[in-house]
């Protein structure tokens, strides 16, 4: 069935280093969303990308949607301790898979050493 | 801040008990979801609803049941809890009927079955 793979599963960085997480789908996506979940918290929406090749920035965060609409990335420049948490990508299949619901990746858990 | 509320936040019960996890939203969203998430792990969709009197099973089989008698209310019930049901249950809603809209998550209900 439809899958969204996310790597790496864990990432440990020194504060100030950059961080990137990657998301890959087995089929074309109509959109990709990114969520952040702080330890002990609930997922919070960050952004949605819908266009092929789209790039969006939020301060130190840069989000990209691949040209083929099968992959996406989230890049954080100069990480801070407030960036700690698990980052999930989630996409909707272009072919109506999963009944049109979002398919979540397994998440990348980011830890930042001060 | 999202207007979606879950109660209880924490629940510890014995095996065989019946429990209901409450979820309410005041945003007037028709589509609502229940996800199951073990600590630090991926999100599994267990139930969703398109609106009043609509309930659908998600990708992960669950022994829980849901009801949607009112737009704002989407409770989840376990008739006979077991230790294998120990997990965090996250309720969410979205304005969009498809997967194209942002999901607003509640703070979650952490269930422990002894």
């Amino acid at each position: 069935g439809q899958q969204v793979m996310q790597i790496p599963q864990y990432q440990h960085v020194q504060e100030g280093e950059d961080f990137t997480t990657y998301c890959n789908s087995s089929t074309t996506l109509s959109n990709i969303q990114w969520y952040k979940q702080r330890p002990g918290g609930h997922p919070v929406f960050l952004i949605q990308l819908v266009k092929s090749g789209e790039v969006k920035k939020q301060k130190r965060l840069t989000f990209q949607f691949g040209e083929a609409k099968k992959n996406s990335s989230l890049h954080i420049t100069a990480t801070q301790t407030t960036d700690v948490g698990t980052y999930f990508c989630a996409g909707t299949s272009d072919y109506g898979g999963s009944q049109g619901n979002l398919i979540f990746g397994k998440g990348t858990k980011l830890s930042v050493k001060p | 801040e999202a207007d979606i509320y879950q109660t209880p936040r924490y629940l510890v019960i014995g095996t065989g008990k019946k429990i209901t996890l409450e979820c309410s939203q005041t945003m007037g969203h028709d589509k609502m979801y229940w996800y199951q998430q073990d600590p630090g792990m991926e999100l599994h969709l267990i139930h969703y609803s398109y609106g009043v009197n609509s309930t659908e099973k998600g990708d992960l089989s669950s022994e829980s049941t849901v009801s949607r008698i009112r737009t704002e209310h989407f409770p989840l019930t376990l008739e006979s809890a077991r230790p294998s049901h120990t997990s965090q249950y996250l309720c969410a809603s979205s304005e969009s009927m498809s997967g194209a809209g942002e999901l607003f998550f509640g703070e979650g209900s952490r269930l422990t079955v002894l």
Side-chain angles (χ1 to χ4, degrees):
Chain A
Q2 175 84 34
Q3 282 194 320
V4 172
M5 310 300 291
Q6 196 172 347
I7 57 169
Q9 190 174 357
Y10 301 96
Q11 187 77 57
H12 309 282
V13 300
Q14 191 76 35
E15 188 172 23
E17 291 181 340
D18 292 356
F19 159 76
T20 305
T21 172
Y22 301 90
C23 192
N24 291 287
S25 169
S26 53
T27 61
T28 306
L29 299 170
S30 59
N31 66 305
I32 191 93
Q33 297 181 11
W34 286 91
Y35 291 79
K36 177 183 178 182
Q37 184 175 22
R38 294 182 187 275
H42 58 282
V44 175
F45 175 83
L46 293 176
I47 208 160
Q48 175 170 270
L49 305 170
V50 296
K51 297 177 184 176
S52 168
E54 189 170 9
V55 178
K56 286 188 177 180
K57 292 190 176 185
Q58 290 179 349
K59 297 183 180 178
R60 296 178 294 104
L61 277 61
T62 302
F63 304 84
Q64 290 188 315
F65 200 7
E67 294 289 343
K69 299 183 75 174
K70 285 187 173 183
N71 56 75
S72 180
S73 65
L74 158 59
H75 179 83
I76 302 178
T77 304
T79 55
Q80 300 174 358
T81 55
T82 52
D83 295 325
V84 164
T86 301
Y87 292 85
F88 291 96
C89 64
T92 306
S93 169
D94 231 1
Y95 303 104
S98 196
Q99 295 80 45
N101 295 312
L102 280 172
I103 304 159
F104 277 84
K106 292 188 176 185
T108 296
K109 189 174 292 185
L110 172 66
S111 61
V112 179
K113 188 175 180 182
Chain B
E1 193 70 26
D3 297 316
I4 180 164
Y5 308 99
Q6 289 186 242
T7 57
R9 289 289 312 281
Y10 303 92
L11 180 62
V12 180
I13 58 167
T15 296
K17 298 291 186 183
K18 177 180 178 179
I19 63 120
T20 296
L21 304 180
E22 303 287 351
C23 176
S24 294
Q25 51 94 6
T26 58
M27 296 173 281
H29 291 168
D30 283 320
K31 195 149 187 199
M32 295 188 73
Y33 310 79
W34 276 103
Y35 287 87
Q36 184 174 343
Q37 183 187 37
D38 291 331
M41 303 297 284
E42 62 192 295
L43 293 149
H44 294 286
L45 179 64
I46 52 175
H47 298 285
Y48 61 100
S49 166
Y50 289 106
V52 171
N53 294 327
S54 157
T55 59
E56 305 286 345
K57 291 191 180 295
D59 302 320
L60 180 69
S61 176
S62 174
E63 292 168 345
S64 60
T65 58
V66 292
S67 62
R68 190 89 184 273
I69 299 172
R70 303 197 316 265
T71 298
E72 61 271 22
H73 196 213
F74 192 38
L76 180 146
T77 298
L78 274 167
E79 290 293 333
S80 179
R82 296 205 303 268
S84 61
H85 296 138
T86 294
S87 190
Q88 172 165 251
Y89 294 83
L90 289 159
C91 181
S93 73
S94 67
E95 188 175 11
S96 169
M97 282 297 194
S98 71
E102 170 186 354
L103 293 188
F104 295 89
F105 284 89
E107 294 189 331
S109 292
R110 290 182 187 272
L111 173 65
T112 302
V113 184
L114 303 175

